[in-house]
Amino acid sequence: MARQTSAPTTKSPPLPAAKRRASAGGQAQGTAARSRINQRRKQRITRQVRRLEAVLPSANGVIWRPELPQIGSWPGWQLLRARWFMVTVFLLLLLAGFVTWVHVDERWFLYREDVRFSGLHYLDSEELWRLSEIDGWNLFWLDTKGVRQRLMSNPYVADADVYVTPWLGTVNLDITEAQPIALWLTDNGTRWLLPSALALEPRGPTPPGLLEIADGGAVASAPGVALGSAIDADVLASAQSLLAVLPDVAPLRYNRQIGLNFQLQNKPYWVYWGDGSNIVRKLENLAAVEQLLADGTLQGTVIDVRFERPYVK
């Protein structure tokens, strides 16, 4: 077999010494040039800083430089890390969330189905519901005193209790209906007379056995009011005091000139009573005159006891 011989390798001839010295010298010059460039850059920056310091405000030759606060040295930092502060913030957030909830959620707003009426016999609950103006109010903002005042503006409402049941989301209205204490018989119809002397159209059944005052022209109306809207309180009080001592003389009549007058029961005598003053004296005079009429000493059909001495005619 023939021996294979490898190709001879060629090597670069070494650089002459002069060239090596020139290359080393070039590198040294490049390093020195860069050093000079850096030195000039530093000098330029230094001059710029000095010019900047010359225009900045200074105190006692000291340049003011803003310092950022250190969080750890801030006095409020310890407060923010306090446990009681964190608990307080949590409770405030919880309270704010609750307040927002009760002002947004529909369950806390009142509508017709959330109102309960009690004590009604002749009044209409729908009429009182409209008068109360509760519709759409927030349960926690409802002015119960205002609701009561609006209900009391109805003359047939003698009293009203308004109370809220928050856990049920309801409002309870306990109504006391007005009841008459007497009847005013006028040409325009019969009126209920309330304790305040207000006269109202009857609503519902009229209680039996009430005092009746017959006054066709409604001349017993209180001064300064519409005819028949309210009776004079003195006339009503006089009629009540008379009926208390003579319960069998009803019905009573009223006349502007002679006041209250009535017929004695089962007797043909008509009595001019007047007002409710001097009741004892009037009763004594009436009893004396009846005795004189019974034994024939006096004759007449009308007994007037309005004055100190009775008259018969």
Side-chain angles (χ1 to χ4, degrees), residues 112-285:
R112 178 63 184 90
E113 60 272 14
D114 303 316
V115 178
R116 309 285 186 268
F117 287 93
S118 60
L120 298 183
H121 297 90
Y122 64 80
L123 288 177
D124 181 26
S125 61
E126 295 302 319
E127 175 187 3
L128 297 180
W129 157 251
R130 292 189 295 269
L131 184 62
S132 69
E133 299 181 6
I134 294 177
D135 190 24
W137 271 92
N138 186 285
L139 183 68
F140 296 98
W141 287 99
L142 183 66
D143 180 11
T144 55
K145 291 183 179 179
V147 173
R148 181 178 182 273
Q149 291 177 353
R150 289 191 290 273
L151 292 174
M152 293 286 291
S153 67
N154 186 323
Y156 292 95
V157 177
D159 197 4
D161 290 327
V162 183
Y163 51 95
V164 178
T165 309
W167 57 89
L168 296 179
T170 60
V171 177
N172 298 279
L173 306 179
D174 188 8
I175 306 298
T176 301
E177 295 176 333
Q179 297 296 328
I181 60 172
L183 298 178
W184 193 9
L185 311 180
T186 71
D187 292 340
N188 293 324
T190 300
R191 298 286 189 274
W192 279 0
L193 292 177
L194 303 185
S196 62
L198 186 66
L200 301 176
E201 291 282 349
R203 292 187 65 174
T206 298
L210 292 179
L211 163 67
E212 296 181 358
I213 301 176
D215 177 18
V219 295
S221 297
V225 302
L227 195 68
S229 62
I231 196 170
D232 191 317
D234 291 337
V235 174
L236 180 59
S238 298
Q240 290 176 307
S241 63
L242 172 58
L243 198 64
V245 295
L246 296 174
D248 298 329
V249 298
L252 301 178
R253 296 184 180 274
Y254 182 83
N255 181 278
R256 191 186 301 276
Q257 284 73 35
I258 62 178
L260 293 172
N261 55 94
F262 55 88
Q263 183 178 3
L264 288 175
Q265 190 175 24
N266 300 322
K267 295 180 181 179
Y269 305 123
W270 200 268
V271 179
Y272 291 174
W273 185 264
D275 56 23
S277 62
N278 302 314
I279 293 179
V280 175
R281 188 198 69 197
K282 290 178 180 179
L283 287 174
E284 291 175 352
N285 289 340

Side-chain angles (χ1 to χ4, degrees), residues 258 269-270 272 293 299-304 306 311-313:
I258 62 178
Y269 305 123
W270 200 268
Y272 291 174
L293 289 171
Q299 299 292 327
T301 58
V302 176
I303 305 172
D304 192 342
R306 293 177 294 164
Y311 295 90
V312 177
K313 57 182 178 180

